[in-house]
Amino acid sequence: MRVEKDSVGTLEVPDDVYYGIQTVRGKANFDVSPKTFNDYPNVLKAYAEVKKACAFANRDINALAPEKAEAISKACDEIVAGKLAGQFPVNVFRGCGTSANMNMNEVIANRANEILTGKRGYDQVHPNTHVNMCQSSNDIFPTVESVVIYREIGTLLETIPLLENALEAKSREFADVVKIARTSLQDALPITLGQAFSGYVAAIKRNRLLLEGYQNTFREAILGATAVGTGMGVMPGFIENVYKYMSDIVGFPMHRHENLIDGMQNADHFIILSAYVKAIAGMVGKIANDFRQLSSGPRGGFNELILPDMGASCAIMPDKVNPVIPELMVQMMHQVCANDWGISLSVPSGETDIVPSAVINFMGSLESMEILTKGIKLFTTHCVEGLGANVEVCHRYAEGSTSLATMVSALYGYEIGNKIAKISYEQGVTCKEVAIQENLLPLDVAEELFDIKKLTELESTVAMFEKYKDIRRVN
């Protein structure tokens, strides 16, 4: 063990670690969950990248010796490469901020010293003086958040089209499968399964485009603000240089927030982001719920969709197969909504001059996007792509629906249409058969007016009313 000292006192630090006393304190103070920054390599990568940009900017303004900047840069590169994995034990709860920043500063400083002198310690590179130069926890952690969120949005946006394309393919495949629509889960008018899937496609695409348009919000950062937005502690030329380096290192253009005070005080961008993510999760969950209902059965439910067989999912009832993937998507939707609720409470609950807790805002957003990204992939490959349609059942339900009496209502009025529907239900025959039986329609006219495929097409329905307008008895 080695002994380190800070403003509070002294503590023992294990000899084999790169972090120091501030990390040890943070680890002990906030040990409330199993989640530490070791579990978030994407955050550590972004943190190290931003620290590297700061080192280069400080070098260029002659605030940091070139050899120290180079050693810091090499240490950062090793963190990005995962070579210092396991050195970030601070808990994410309350660790977002000073503890996370000091953990990173200490690891970089110890490794930089090792590069320069062959041993750990702060003889050449100090975690606060050198690694944290022109920064504070208050501006660097939100900057790291922006980098990570921008990338996570990009990963999610790359994944969503997989589902869009799979749903679009099923829309084409099911274009001629006529089924009964349901309103309030009661029999309604005919619709094709392909039309229903086209609605799913449109909903997913619409919300994807909204998220896509919001991604660039996270190219803004408040680095250089530094503690409260006034820039106290930033040396001349730092801001002008650091964003250039940061953009090159992270791989996409970044710029300073147009109002640094706003950037320090407020985190409403997380509410907006969460709303977009929740909307996508909500649509995926809605689709999954529809699949559960439409595949219910096989003898006591709708039995219109045939889900891919993921294996027996009941320990007591033989050969019972549950819709496990759709159910997983519904659970995912619930978690995203729970995160959104937490974010909505957290954002307006912050201190006067600094953004509120990043644990809820940042980590909640990350979790939502990560499970949604993984969930969409599973849903697409293990459910949507293998979906089948029970064509015979769909066709039978559609032809047998008493809602087809709507055609009679349009020609002869609601009362007569209602009569046809009641007879159809009581006798267990189709509305077409009743209309012929009651001498309302000739056989050939009935065959056309009750053609369930034509009844799913707006143009065909309008054309039939035009064709048979002379037999209409409604004024």
Side-chain angles (χ1 to χ4, degrees):
M1 303 288 283
R2 64 182 189 269
V3 177
E4 290 193 10
K5 182 179 179 180
D6 63 7
S7 59
V8 178
T10 60
L11 279 179
E12 289 186 335
V13 180
D15 285 328
D16 60 343
V17 300
Y18 282 93
Y19 55 78
I21 187 171
Q22 292 293 317
T23 302
V24 173
R25 290 197 190 281
K27 179 183 177 183
N29 289 342
F30 313 128
D31 187 18
V32 296
S33 86
K35 288 287 186 179
T36 72
F37 283 96
N38 285 321
D39 299 309
Y40 293 89
N42 52 346
V43 177
L44 299 179
K45 174 184 177 182
Y47 228 132
E49 289 173 328
V50 176
K51 289 289 182 180
K52 179 177 179 177
C54 291
F56 283 166
N58 285 320
R59 177 199 61 192
D60 286 3
I61 63 173
N62 298 316
L64 183 64
E67 64 273 14
K68 294 181 180 180
E70 185 62 28
I72 289 172
S73 170
K74 288 180 179 178
C76 290
D77 288 342
E78 290 182 5
I79 293 171
V80 171
K83 293 181 179 179
L84 296 175
Q87 297 296 318
F88 303 91
V90 173
N91 201 280
V92 296
F93 276 90
R94 196 63 187 95
C96 292
T98 301
S99 293
N101 187 34
M102 285 308 302
N103 188 175
M104 181 62 64
N105 288 337
E106 289 175 339
V107 171
I108 292 173
N110 270 298
R111 180 61 186 131
N113 270 277
E114 195 173 55
I115 291 170
L116 290 172
T117 68
K119 61 184 179 68
R120 296 169 200 175
Y122 308 139
D123 295 340
Q124 293 293 318
V125 180
H126 191 275
N128 297 81
T129 304
H130 302 109
V131 182
N132 203 56
M133 185 181 291
C134 293
Q135 309 147 52
S136 71
S137 303
N138 294 356
D139 66 354
I140 195 157
F141 197 90
T143 299
V144 172
E145 289 179 342
S146 294
V147 174
V148 175
I149 292 293
Y150 182 90
R151 286 171 172 164
E152 291 299 320
I153 293 174
T155 301
L156 179 55
L157 289 173
E158 290 174 357
T159 304
I160 295 172
L162 301 176
L163 178 58
E164 273 184 63
N165 294 336
L167 291 170
E168 177 65 38
K170 289 299 171 181
S171 179
R172 294 191 300 270
E173 180 183 337
F174 299 150
D176 296 323
V177 179
V178 182
K179 66 181 291 292
I180 190 173
R182 293 178 179 85
T183 55
S184 300
L185 289 181
Q186 304 300 305
D187 296 355
L189 297 168
I191 188 174
T192 70
L193 198 53
Q195 288 171 324
F197 272 70
S198 75
Y200 299 149
V201 175
I204 296 296
K205 180 180 180 181
R206 176 176 62 252
N207 286 285
R208 172 179 59 80
L209 292 175
L210 288 171
L211 179 61
E212 191 174 285
Y214 199 63
Q215 184 184 17
N216 283 338
T217 300
F218 293 90
R219 287 169 51 190
E220 293 182 339
I222 57 172
L223 190 61
T226 65
V228 297
T230 60
M232 177 66 182
V234 171
M235 286 175 273
F238 174 78
I239 292 178
E240 291 77 7
N241 281 277
V242 75
Y243 284 94
K244 175 187 67 176
Y245 281 115
M246 191 157 55
S247 298
D248 290 342
I249 292 169
V250 302
F252 57 87
M254 293 197 71
H255 57 273
R256 187 179 67 173
H257 197 291
E258 63 179 358
N259 187 316
L260 293 172
I261 301 297
D262 170 39
M264 279 287 181
Q265 287 178 344
N266 306 310
D268 48 292
H269 51 290
F270 276 110
I271 290 182
I272 298 169
L273 169 65
S274 184
Y276 288 144
V277 173
K278 181 178 69 171
I280 295 168
M283 288 300 95
V284 175
K286 197 275 183 184
I287 295 168
N289 255 330
D290 286 356
F291 287 2
R292 291 171 70 200
Q293 291 175 352
L294 295 176
S295 66
S296 60
R299 294 184 178 177
F302 294 156
N303 195 25
E304 294 176 350
L305 275 183
I306 303 171
L307 298 180
D309 190 347
M310 297 299 295
S313 47
C314 182
I316 187 171
M317 290 173 279
D319 203 38
K320 185 176 187 290
V321 179
N322 292 330
V324 291
I325 299 300
E327 286 176 344
L328 175 65
M329 295 304 101
V330 173
Q331 292 168 1
M332 174 208 67
M333 174 185 67
H334 293 165
Q335 185 60 57
V336 171
C337 289
N339 289 339
D340 177 72
W341 179 72
I343 291 167
S344 298
L345 288 178
S346 175
V347 166
S349 301
E351 300 81 7
T352 55
D353 296 307
I354 190 174
V355 295
S357 173
V359 178
I360 307 302
N361 300 336
F362 179 47
M363 295 301 177
S365 297
L366 274 187
E367 181 182 50
S368 291
M369 288 191 286
E370 287 172 355
I371 63 175
L372 187 53
T373 297
K374 293 176 181 177
I376 285 174
K377 289 179 181 178
L378 285 172
F379 190 45
T380 301
T381 57
H382 295 334
C383 184
V384 179
E385 290 178 349
L387 276 176
N390 194 332
V391 178
E392 187 275 327
V393 169
C394 289
H395 192 273
R396 173 159 47 86
Y397 285 168
E399 283 201 326
S401 173
T402 56
S403 68
L404 296 187
T406 303
M407 296 302 296
V408 176
S409 296
L411 294 173
Y412 296 103
Y414 184 83
E415 292 300 324
I416 295 178
N418 193 49
K419 175 185 175 182
I420 296 300
K422 284 183 176 294
I423 295 173
S424 169
Y425 182 74
E426 291 169 357
Q427 295 184 2
V429 295
T430 67
C431 290
K432 179 175 72 173
E433 290 171 314
V434 177
I436 295 170
Q437 172 186 308
E438 295 293 311
N439 296 315
L440 284 175
L441 299 170
L443 178 60
D444 59 334
V445 175
E447 289 289 349
E448 184 172 9
L449 287 174
F450 288 94
D451 184 328
I452 56 174
K453 182 62 170 68
K454 284 187 176 181
L455 294 181
T456 66
E457 302 162 356
L458 174 62
E459 296 81 4
S460 297
T461 305
V462 172
M464 284 194 292
F465 281 133
E466 173 64 26
K467 181 177 179 180
Y468 295 111
K469 62 184 178 181
D470 292 338
I471 67 173
R472 190 166 183 264
R473 297 293 179 264
V474 178
N475 293 322

